[in-house]
Amino acid sequence: MSRRTLEVRTPAGGRYPIHIEPGLLGDVAAVCRRHAPAHRYAVITDSQVARLYGSTVVASFAGAGLGAELVPFPAGEWNKSREQWAALSDRMVRAGFGRDSAVVALGGGVAGDLAGFVAATYMRGLPVVQVPTTLLAMLDSSVGGKTGVDTEAGKNLIGAFHHPSAVLIDPAVLRTLPRHQRCAGLAEAVKTAAILDLELWRWIESRAAHLVGGEPAASAELIERVVRHKAAVVADDPLERGVREILNFGHTVGHALEALEGYKLLHGEAVAAGMRVEARLGESLGITERGTARRVTAALEACGLDGDWETERRPTEIREAMSRDKKARRARVRCVFLARVGEAATDPDGRHSFTLDDEALGEPLAAALRPASESGDCPDPGGP
């Protein structure tokens, strides 16, 4: 596979590239020199990724005659916090990183969001190059410029838009991912297909076993197709004031579950649960075509995402956590629904998310949180 390059437009009229190529990890320094030239680079990564790839990346800079220092933090979603943001920033100050420096965000979504937020705020903003090492980060968090940290009240409540100077995606690193991590990443692919692309949905259904197994050719094609969609949506709505809302399908309930579980659920697992619930809820509210929830559930099961984590929490807990989501307005919950598989729904005003009142968050939500076998969903009528 040769290098594939996509581009994302930024609000200021700039552009940044997304490079996709096996083996690209060993070429990080050359890409950084071109797209984020700096006197010195802070490679921010978690402790697990540091052991796997830290020396490779630092050696790439040394071989190119560039200065780079590994700045690790403890692995785990619960470390995407204000405390770690402060600790990393303080370490960079003590190490003498100045305004002529740049950040390399190496790792999964936690590292990408946290390192991106450090870059957005350190010295009032440094360039950042995103180098995702998990499938979920490759498909989602590395593209679009969202950075931030979690709090006890909710996920990503503190953050900033800070677009990267470049994104480097090396599909070869997926070979080191555990199966459950690959499956968690596939949640983002299912979501993208569900809201935007029926053909991609059918392709994922037909190749689910290959994708779960990490087959290189299928994985590389999936990454390019999903990232192309994400790049197009971000370019149209870089600050999430319109169509970009559709990327939040599954996230209102998913973020609530993550917060309630103390961020012990993988993000992709939580979003998979959120998609099941939001598809059922959309059907019960007459927004989503009947049978869609069963198709979503079946596709997630084929991708190894059949945990039903949503059934272990009381509806009142989910409802309260949803009201604290950053997408809420005046404590009223907003949620993205499907019209059908391959198409997101719009409300009567043309918005891509729906305000849920107390009635919708009562019995309809409680019913949607029950397993499909208990929820009384209509049989799948077949669909397109």
Side-chain angles (χ1 to χ4, degrees):
M1 173 181 166
S2 59
R3 181 174 300 185
R4 308 180 189 189
T5 300
L6 311 175
E7 281 193 332
V8 178
R9 297 193 306 273
T10 65
R15 298 173 181 268
Y16 62 87
I18 304 168
H19 298 300
I20 306 170
E21 182 184 12
L24 191 57
L25 199 65
D27 201 26
V28 169
V31 176
C32 286
R33 188 200 294 273
R34 179 179 178 186
H35 297 291
H39 170 67
R40 195 174 172 205
Y41 295 86
V43 182
I44 298 179
T45 187
D46 70 50
S47 52
Q48 293 179 351
V49 176
R51 287 193 296 271
L52 287 170
Y53 303 117
S55 60
T56 299
V57 171
V58 172
S60 172
F61 283 99
L66 298 173
E69 182 175 327
L70 199 64
V71 187
F73 64 92
E77 176 76 37
W78 50 91
N79 287 310
K80 199 179 92 173
S81 64
R82 286 170 288 187
E83 292 75 18
Q84 284 299 331
W85 164 80
L88 290 167
S89 300
D90 288 346
R91 286 172 61 185
M92 289 177 63
V93 170
R94 289 194 299 270
F97 283 95
R99 297 198 65 176
D100 55 355
S101 305
V103 171
V104 177
L106 174 68
V110 172
D113 284 0
L114 181 56
F117 190 45
V118 170
T121 52
Y122 189 81
M123 300 283 180
R124 294 193 173 95
L126 298 180
V128 61
V129 173
Q130 291 280 351
V131 186
T133 60
T134 67
L135 181 57
L136 183 60
M138 291 174 183
L139 300 180
D140 183 23
S141 58
S142 64
V143 180
K146 287 185 177 181
T147 73
V149 295
D150 303 334
T151 72
E152 290 184 1
K155 188 176 175 68
N156 296 323
L157 293 182
I158 298 173
F161 282 99
H162 188 61
H163 289 274
S165 298
V167 180
L168 282 66
I169 297 177
D170 183 349
V173 305
L174 296 178
R175 291 177 299 195
T176 67
L177 272 187
R179 180 182 183 277
H180 71 284
Q181 288 275 3
R182 285 197 299 272
C183 291
L186 290 174
E188 181 66 20
V190 171
K191 181 206 76 175
T192 300
I195 59 175
L196 284 168
D197 192 339
L198 179 59
E199 181 184 349
L200 176 59
W201 177 276
R202 290 168 172 159
W203 184 88
I204 292 171
E205 285 182 319
S206 68
R207 290 164 177 80
H210 299 283
L211 296 169
V212 169
E215 199 276 317
S219 297
E221 182 173 350
L222 179 77
I223 292 166
E224 181 177 9
R225 293 178 70 164
V226 173
V227 169
R228 192 177 294 279
H229 276 304
K230 178 76 180 281
V233 171
V234 168
D236 285 343
D237 183 17
L239 299 179
E240 198 174 311
R241 293 171 178 164
V243 69
R244 188 168 174 174
E245 284 187 309
I246 65 174
L247 299 177
N248 290 319
F249 174 56
H251 283 62
T252 301
V253 172
H255 283 172
L257 285 169
E258 283 184 281
L260 289 170
E261 294 293 331
Y263 304 108
K264 294 176 184 176
L265 268 183
L266 292 176
H267 179 65
E269 294 172 336
V271 169
M275 286 191 283
R276 285 191 293 265
V277 173
E278 292 173 21
R280 295 170 193 155
L281 183 57
E283 287 190 18
S284 72
L285 297 176
I287 298 169
T288 302
E289 183 178 272
R290 301 294 291 181
T292 299
R294 286 192 180 277
R295 296 188 71 189
V296 168
T297 299
L300 292 170
E301 288 178 351
C303 291
L305 292 161
D306 54 353
D308 262 2
W309 300 278
E310 64 273 22
T311 65
E312 299 175 6
R313 287 287 177 176
R314 296 191 304 274
T316 52
E317 291 181 300
I318 299 288
R319 179 177 176 175
E320 175 62 24
M322 288 168 69
S323 71
R324 296 193 297 267
D325 188 84
K326 66 182 185 299
K327 296 180 290 300
R329 298 292 182 268
R330 298 178 183 177
R332 299 187 72 191
V333 173
R334 293 198 66 85
C335 198
V336 174
F337 294 114
L338 299 179
R340 58 193 57 82
V341 170
E343 181 184 347
T346 55
D347 73 6
D349 296 324
R351 288 203 59 176
H352 301 281
S353 63
F354 292 72
T355 299
L356 302 183
D357 56 23
D358 290 342
E359 185 177 350
L361 289 172
E363 177 52 34
L365 177 61
L369 287 166
R370 293 195 288 267
S373 59
E374 301 175 15
S375 64
D377 288 343
C378 294
D380 185 348

